[in-house]
Amino acid sequence: SKPFGGVQLLLIGDLMQLPPVVTEMERGLIYQHYSTEFFFSAKCFPALEMITIELKTIYRQSDRGFINLLNQIRSNQMESWDYENLSERIQPDFQPQEPGWITLTTHNKQADAINEKELLKIEAAEKQYVAKVSGEFSEGSFPTEGILRLKEGAQVMFVKNDTSYEKRYYNGKIGTVKRIAGDTLFIDCNDGKAPIEIERETWKNLRYKFNATDESVEQEEIGSFGQFPLRLAWAITVHKSQGLTFDKAMIDAGKSFAPGQVYVALSRCTRLESLVLLTAIRAQNILSDARILHFHENQAKSRAYRDWE
């Protein structure tokens, strides 16, 4: 009868980033039973007696001015001089002169168009790799393209951490396809190291069920997806960039449509100087959700709230 069966949980997240992606059909079903699509509308939430710990140490950025600007965007408290600082980064016709730059866009079509355009510029032969899918693995859950189109010279991004002892790459690491040798690829990450030799990786679709006999949770593999852990990476969407870090990024956020989208885009960068805005960011682009702000305010007032520097 207890929430989560009495199991103690550690829940980690950042509500000031992008909200859950909810389809119109799902929204209709959710609102029949819950007031919002967020976890704090769960029926069991009032009974959880959670301790809220807010982590405040920032590791991705070190420049205090950039951190302050990001905090202003995060809380939607931008002043005129903040917009002036951002306007200095606007270069709509910027053309990278070195590898490693990535464009963050708000819509999939924009990112796909940029990747297609850049791939066509390369004269090398195109190689297509078809994913090996077995069992149950929905296309909407594919971690990368079902048909991955690559050329030698293409800019790519790893979409998986290297689980080997060497830890040669991580999710979000950018590189260039140096050589294609059948079912083996060599990726140059422009870091002075030898190209990384990679082969296909396998993602598992797991289902969990309760074994009443011994009262345990059992794991069952119901499907798998085999593909190179790469995607074309001249451009990706802001949604797909969550959790990633980029040294050099061009940001097209002039058509932002979701709360937290501008904040997520800009905060992927390590330095303001390595960030270029392809479109201006105005007040109407920086959106916040009143429900989230209200929840944060209530949590901060709670006796169970802690700061953790």
Side-chain angles (χ1 to χ4, degrees):
S1 62
K2 294 181 178 180
F4 302 106
V7 174
Q8 180 168 304
L9 299 179
L10 174 64
L11 310 176
I12 304 172
D14 183 1
L15 284 173
M16 303 302 281
Q17 295 197 28
L18 288 161
V21 176
V22 182
T23 65
E24 285 303 314
M25 184 186 73
E26 291 169 339
R27 182 172 284 107
L29 294 171
I30 288 172
Y31 285 176
Q32 288 180 27
H33 304 281
Y34 306 100
S35 59
T36 78
E37 64 271 36
F38 298 104
F39 68 88
F40 50 74
S41 292
K43 305 295 184 183
C44 67
F45 187 76
L48 288 178
E49 299 180 352
M50 289 201 314
I51 295 173
T52 300
I53 299 174
E54 185 173 354
L55 306 176
K56 292 194 170 183
T57 301
I58 296 171
Y59 293 94
R60 185 177 283 115
Q61 296 88 18
S62 58
D63 178 69
R64 181 51 55 185
F66 188 29
I67 290 172
N68 290 339
L69 177 61
L70 291 174
N71 283 334
Q72 293 292 87
I73 296 171
R74 176 184 173 86
S75 59
N76 199 355
Q77 295 180 332
M78 293 280 284
E79 302 287 352
S80 58
W81 51 84
D82 295 318
Y83 288 105
E84 290 173 8
N85 285 340
L86 281 179
S87 68
E88 294 176 2
R89 307 307 307 161
I90 299 174
Q91 297 185 59
D93 300 320
F94 180 77
Q95 296 294 326
Q97 300 301 313
E98 55 187 357
W101 284 88
I102 189 168
T103 300
L104 302 186
T105 69
T106 51
H107 292 74
N108 280 308
K109 286 185 178 179
Q110 292 173 284
D112 291 344
I114 293 170
N115 285 327
E116 180 69 19
K117 177 183 176 182
E118 295 299 324
L119 188 65
L120 289 174
K121 288 180 180 179
I122 300 175
E123 296 181 358
E126 179 180 304
K127 175 75 173 178
Q128 296 187 358
Y129 294 95
V130 179
K132 299 176 181 178
V133 183
S134 65
E136 297 180 31
F137 211 112
S138 67
E139 187 173 349
S141 300
F142 285 1
T144 185
E145 302 298 331
I147 300 177
L148 184 61
R149 299 165 55 213
L150 296 175
K151 293 180 180 180
E152 291 182 355
Q155 181 164 294
V156 293
M157 181 177 71
F158 287 94
V159 295
K160 197 174 191 289
N161 293 332
D162 182 10
T163 56
S164 72
Y165 175 78
E166 292 87 357
K167 301 290 187 291
R168 300 162 299 166
Y169 55 84
Y170 55 83
N171 185 17
K173 189 179 181 71
I174 293 177
T176 302
V177 179
K178 185 72 173 179
R179 184 162 68 92
I180 296 176
D183 265 3
T184 303
L185 303 177
F186 294 84
I187 311 300
D188 184 1
C189 294
N190 197 36
D191 53 6
K193 298 180 181 178
I196 302 171
E197 179 180 345
I198 64 167
E199 297 179 342
R200 291 180 188 262
E201 292 275 357
T202 300
W203 288 260
K204 297 178 180 179
N205 185 17
L206 303 175
R207 180 166 60 196
Y208 298 88
K209 59 183 180 180
F210 180 68
N211 186 326
T213 304
D214 58 5
E215 297 186 338
S216 64
V217 176
E218 296 180 346
Q219 177 179 287
E220 176 187 8
E221 182 179 331
I222 61 173
S224 65
F225 176 90
Q227 183 61 285
F228 288 97
L230 300 170
R231 70 181 313 128
L232 293 177
W234 286 285
I236 62 170
T237 61
V238 177
H239 276 75
K240 289 187 174 70
S241 76
Q242 280 197 113
L244 303 182
T245 300
F246 302 118
D247 292 326
K248 297 172 286 189
M250 298 174 284
I251 297 173
D252 183 0
K255 296 180 180 178
S256 58
F257 58 88
Q261 199 168 25
V262 170
Y263 169 71
V264 169
L266 270 64
S267 63
R268 298 309 90 201
C269 304
T270 55
R271 299 181 302 120
L272 185 61
E273 293 75 18
S274 61
L275 178 160
V276 170
L277 297 178
L278 299 178
T279 50
I281 293 176
R282 299 180 174 88
Q284 61 264 32
N285 301 128
I286 301 176
L287 309 173
S288 56
D289 191 316
R291 300 169 299 174
I292 298 299
L293 297 176
H294 180 69
F295 175 77
H296 262 284
E297 290 172 3
N298 287 342
Q299 290 300 110
K301 294 174 183 176
S302 169
R303 293 182 180 178
Y305 174 85
R306 308 280 190 278
D307 273 349
W308 199 310
E309 291 293 346

